[in-house]
């Protein structure tokens, strides 16, 4: 697999927001899997589609391995990572397009695009799709600086990130996680919307 170009570089603030949003919805993904609303391959297609938009090397490697273990072909995986929509099951295409839109808007999709997902899949499955997207967004937001540091240590810095950015993002993860989790629990207790629109 060739070197991934980091297409999106996220700030510490965006890292916090991705953690908060992801932690608020992770239970929906578990429920969707438990209720057999989403197959493992469907989840991996979503994760690979988001990773393609963001360009995270470590996530690409990890989810390629998982997708292969789930029975997806190498050809399909490479097509997803190159942004090609061929071979995606027709019933999954709206979710894949929404996942790409979510990543392309840095976690701020349009209300119309979200309503379309609810119309196509129903509320429970839509929540599962959103949760899968948000979980891989966390991986991408913090995986991009990790990828940058790994290539830097191999003597091949990407040129898109610097060592200060890479270290600050990586070290911010354990600091941001507890307040993001607490913030999410408070928002849930106050029954605040799980998804808001610009």
């Amino acid at each position: 697999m060739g070197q991934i170009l980091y297409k999106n570089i996220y700030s510490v603030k965006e890292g916090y927001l991705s953690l908060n949003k992801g932690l608020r919805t992770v239970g929906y993904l578990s429920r969707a899997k438990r209720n057999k609303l989403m197959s493992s391959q469907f989840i991996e297609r979503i994760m690979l589609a988001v990773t393609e938009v963001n360009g995270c090397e470590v996530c690409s490697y990890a989810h390629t391995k998982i997708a292969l273990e789930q029975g997806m072909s190498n050809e399909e995986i490479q097509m997803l990572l190159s942004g090609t929509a061929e071979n995606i099951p027709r019933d999954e295409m709206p979710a894949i397009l929404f996942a790409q839109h979510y990543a392309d808007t840095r976690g701020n999709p349009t209300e119309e695009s979200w309503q379309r997902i609810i119309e196509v899949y129903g509320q429970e499955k839509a929540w599962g799709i959103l949760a899968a997207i948000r979980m891989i967004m966390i991986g991408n937001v913090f995986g991009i600086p990790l990828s940058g540091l790994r290539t830097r240590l191999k003597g091949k810095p990407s040129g898109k990130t610097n060592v200060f950015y890479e270290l600050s993002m990586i070290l911010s993860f354990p600091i941001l996680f507890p307040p993001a989790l607490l913030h999410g629990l408070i928002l849930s207790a106050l029954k605040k919307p799980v998804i808001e629109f610009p």
Side-chain angles (χ1 to χ4, degrees):
M1 183 177 305
Q3 183 171 349
I4 303 289
L5 295 177
Y6 313 131
K7 298 173 187 174
N8 288 330
I9 307 294
Y10 293 89
S11 66
V12 171
K13 179 182 177 183
E14 289 173 307
Y16 177 83
L17 291 172
S18 73
L19 276 168
N20 177 259
K21 291 175 180 180
L23 292 170
R24 281 197 76 197
T25 52
V26 68
Y28 293 114
L29 181 57
S30 300
R31 190 173 311 133
K33 286 169 72 175
R34 189 172 54 249
N35 294 339
K36 301 195 184 329
L37 295 174
M38 296 177 71
S39 70
S40 296
Q41 286 191 5
F42 184 22
I43 293 166
E44 286 309 313
R45 283 187 191 97
I46 288 169
M47 295 197 168
L48 288 166
V50 171
T51 296
E52 185 277 324
V53 172
N54 285 318
C56 177
E57 189 173 28
V58 294
C59 293
S60 174
Y61 176 81
H63 284 280
T64 293
K65 181 178 183 298
I66 294 167
L68 286 168
E69 290 169 356
Q70 297 296 334
M72 290 173 64
S73 72
N74 188 53
E75 179 188 17
E76 180 182 5
I77 293 164
Q78 292 309 316
M79 289 178 95
L80 277 163
L81 288 173
S82 68
T84 305
E86 291 176 38
N87 298 339
I88 295 173
R90 176 174 248 169
D91 62 320
E92 295 180 8
M93 186 59 79
I96 300 301
L97 293 174
F98 177 73
Q100 292 172 325
H101 168 62
Y102 190 99
D104 196 46
T105 60
R106 303 175 79 86
N108 297 295
T110 64
E111 186 170 3
E112 296 77 19
S113 67
W114 173 241
Q115 289 305 319
R116 171 85 174 122
I117 294 302
I118 294 172
E119 289 166 17
V120 171
Y121 297 106
Q123 187 73 63
E124 189 178 358
K125 190 169 182 177
W127 287 129
I129 291 165
L130 180 65
I133 294 166
R134 286 180 169 182
M135 294 313 294
I136 192 60
M137 283 291 291
I138 293 172
N140 287 180
V141 167
F142 293 97
I144 289 167
L146 180 60
S147 297
L149 184 62
R150 283 181 64 211
T151 57
R152 182 176 304 284
L153 294 174
K154 292 177 183 175
K156 301 174 187 172
S158 73
K160 290 197 93 175
T161 59
N162 60 51
V163 71
F164 174 76
Y165 168 78
E166 294 156 6
L167 290 173
S168 64
M169 284 297 289
I170 293 165
L171 295 174
S172 73
F173 182 85
I175 297 166
L176 296 176
F177 190 92
L181 178 61
L182 180 61
H183 185 193
L185 292 171
I186 291 168
L187 291 173
S188 295
L190 294 174
K191 300 193 181 332
K192 295 290 184 184
V194 173
I195 184 167
E196 297 183 285
F197 305 97

